[in-house]
Amino acid sequence: MSTDTREKILQAAFDVLSREGYENTSIKQIAEEGGVAQGLVHYYFKSKQRLVMEVLQFVCQKIELGDQGEAGALAAFEDTKQKIREDRGSNALLVQLIGISLHDPEIGAGIRDFVRGQRGRVEDIARQVFAERELDPTAARGIAGAVWGAVLGIIIQSLVEPEFNADEAIDALAAMSLSAVYPADQSA
Amino acid sequence: MSTDTREKILQAAFDVLSREGYENTSIKQIAEEGGVAQGLVHYYFKSKQRLVMEVLQFVCQKIELGDQGEAGALAAFEDTKQKIREDRGSNALLVQLIGISLHDPEIGAGIRDFVRGQRGRVEDIARQVFAERELDPTAARGIAGAVWGAVLGIIIQSLVEPEFNADEAIDALAAMSLSAVYPADQSA
DNA sequence: CGGCTGTGATTGAATGACCAACCAATGTTG
DNA sequence: CAACATTGGTTGGTCATTCAATCACAGCCG
């Protein structure tokens, strides 16, 4: 029953956190949402911060890009569009935690790892594209910072302004990044 | 003495907020930092949220892009690099407030206006570039979403990872966005 | 001039609520 | 009967906000 309860708390924590926000979420609320006693939360998770970080990991298994490998850059952009549409809750949690991470060492470390990991995936794709075209792979790092940053920025815009057209922005990003690699081809 | 005290509180609030973070900042702390009594803060600002939003505006007068007008896109990217280096505190405050804005209507409205305004400036520059090249200006909106998003994403990365090379990312972004417009020219 | 008064500025203590974390007691199960 | 799971109340603290009281200073009047 142990693992079961743990997951129940994680799920409840995710639900409350993405619905109410970190600030407005208390351990008591999480316990109520999960239908367990308040004390149990601290029995499984040393602190609120550790719980929240585990929630992020828990939810990242769903956010993380599918194995890109074969599909390539274009497919990755399509994936991203879908993630923005569907994983609103996860994205909202992530953006909130980024804000908190700036002044909380524990959450800061977790977010730093997450950011590095995500950008690393983009860099891998970029490197792969450069290899295919026999271009200088040195630029991949900067490109990855710009492209992953753009995806994050677009996610934020779509969370802040419900009417923001994220698909349009991602398409523009795709066109921009590809036109830098395939100078001739500009059909987006 | 009235306006003087108000500004003293705003400055103190900015200092504490960007140093300690929203969560860890109390009205009492702000009052102490500014050398005024606790009650004065609520005398000038109805609530903590309203104070924080006024701090954002107060600080935006420094963040806001200089009048771009003549200078054009390339100069704007250079400006951005400098802002990332120098306005760490303002940027940290902004990122934090974005996180909070997702679940606080009052701060949400303020952040929404800010985002729209900032992206609007990028869109103006994009439109101008398209006009010069006699290209279809329809794409400007999507481009603006992608480029402004990228700038925000790069700011966030540089805040989260101190060793992140923001200049490199901005350069890559500049190269990407310009190569979409000037297909031939790729000297970054 | 000197006292009076009204208004806005300022003070710091009080209020009421909330919360993370802890813990002693109870339940469950192998 | 141990070891783990679960309970819910307690603790010690923090916080935003309110408020009654004081202060500074203006103009006005006698």
Side-chain angles (χ1 to χ4, degrees):
Chain A
M1 195 57 91
S2 144
T3 332
D4 200 31
T5 307
R6 243 188 91 93
E7 289 223 341
K8 199 159 60 177
I9 294 174
L10 281 171
Q11 182 64 49
F14 170 72
D15 291 343
V16 181
L17 281 168
S18 58
R19 171 159 33 89
E20 310 279 352
Y22 183 84
E23 275 231 297
N24 315 317
T25 297
S26 66
I27 299 284
K28 190 178 169 186
Q29 255 176 305
I30 292 171
E32 278 166 8
E33 179 95 8
V36 301
Q38 206 179 135
L40 253 198
V41 179
H42 274 91
Y43 177 75
Y44 283 106
F45 306 92
K46 193 181 94 177
S47 67
K48 189 184 180 185
Q49 292 146 343
R50 215 171 278 281
L51 166 60
V52 169
M53 284 318 298
E54 290 216 33
V55 170
L56 182 64
Q57 287 184 332
F58 177 68
V59 108
C60 278
Q61 296 160 0
K62 295 162 193 170
I63 292 185
E64 302 229 314
L65 300 161
D67 302 321
Q68 75 287 3
E70 334 84 57
L74 281 163
F77 282 122
E78 286 305 315
D79 261 22
T80 303
K81 285 202 245 177
Q82 202 183 340
K83 297 271 162 57
I84 293 175
R85 250 180 269 119
E86 292 173 6
D87 292 333
R88 255 188 114 67
S90 314
N91 290 333
L93 179 62
L94 171 64
V95 171
Q96 261 185 98
L97 293 188
I98 287 175
I100 293 160
S101 78
L102 300 184
H103 296 98
D104 182 312
E106 193 155 359
I107 294 184
I111 289 290
R112 195 149 38 243
D113 288 347
F114 175 81
V115 169
R116 273 201 262 263
Q118 292 284 307
R119 189 181 53 236
R121 300 213 178 198
V122 175
E123 193 169 337
D124 290 343
I125 297 178
R127 238 178 258 288
Q128 198 175 318
V129 172
F130 280 141
E132 283 167 12
R133 297 275 138 182
E134 293 176 359
L135 294 166
D136 177 20
T138 312
R141 204 178 64 183
I143 298 261
V147 171
W148 186 77
V151 170
L152 179 60
I154 290 167
I155 287 174
I156 290 174
Q157 289 174 80
S158 76
L159 288 171
V160 169
E161 310 174 80
E163 74 280 16
F164 179 75
N165 190 336
D167 281 7
E168 187 184 56
I170 291 286
D171 286 338
L173 175 64
M176 277 168 42
S177 45
L178 294 181
S179 76
V181 179
Y182 307 88
D185 203 60
Q186 284 200 62
S187 56
Chain B
M1 195 58 89
S2 143
T3 333
D4 200 32
T5 306
R6 243 187 91 93
E7 288 223 342
K8 200 159 60 177
I9 294 173
L10 282 171
Q11 183 63 51
F14 170 70
D15 291 343
V16 182
L17 281 168
S18 58
R19 171 161 29 93
E20 310 279 351
Y22 184 85
E23 274 232 297
N24 315 319
T25 297
S26 67
I27 298 286
K28 191 177 168 186
Q29 254 177 304
I30 292 171
E32 278 166 8
E33 178 98 8
V36 300
Q38 203 180 141
L40 252 198
V41 179
H42 275 89
Y43 178 75
Y44 284 106
F45 305 93
K46 196 181 90 177
S47 66
K48 188 183 180 184
Q49 292 148 343
R50 216 172 278 280
L51 167 59
V52 169
M53 283 320 297
E54 291 215 32
V55 171
L56 182 64
Q57 287 184 333
F58 177 68
V59 109
C60 278
Q61 296 161 1
K62 296 163 194 170
I63 292 186
E64 301 229 314
L65 299 163
D67 302 321
Q68 75 287 3
E70 334 84 58
L74 281 164
F77 282 122
E78 285 306 315
D79 261 21
T80 303
K81 284 202 245 177
Q82 203 183 339
K83 296 272 164 53
I84 292 176
R85 250 179 269 121
E86 292 173 7
D87 291 332
R88 254 189 114 69
S90 313
N91 290 333
L93 179 62
L94 171 63
V95 170
Q96 259 185 100
L97 293 187
I98 288 174
I100 294 160
S101 79
L102 301 183
H103 296 98
D104 181 315
E106 194 155 357
I107 294 184
I111 289 290
R112 194 149 40 244
D113 288 348
F114 175 80
V115 169
R116 272 200 263 264
Q118 291 284 309
R119 190 181 53 236
R121 300 214 178 197
V122 175
E123 192 169 337
D124 289 344
I125 297 178
R127 237 178 259 289
Q128 198 175 319
V129 172
F130 281 140
E132 284 167 12
R133 298 276 137 182
E134 293 176 358
L135 293 166
D136 177 21
T138 313
R141 204 179 64 184
I143 298 261
V147 171
W148 186 77
V151 170
L152 178 60
I154 290 167
I155 287 174
I156 290 173
Q157 289 174 80
S158 76
L159 288 172
V160 168
E161 309 175 81
E163 75 279 17
F164 178 76
N165 190 336
D167 282 7
E168 185 183 59
I170 292 286
D171 285 338
L173 176 64
M176 277 169 43
S177 44
L178 293 181
S179 76
V181 178
Y182 308 88
D185 202 59
Q186 283 199 61
S187 57

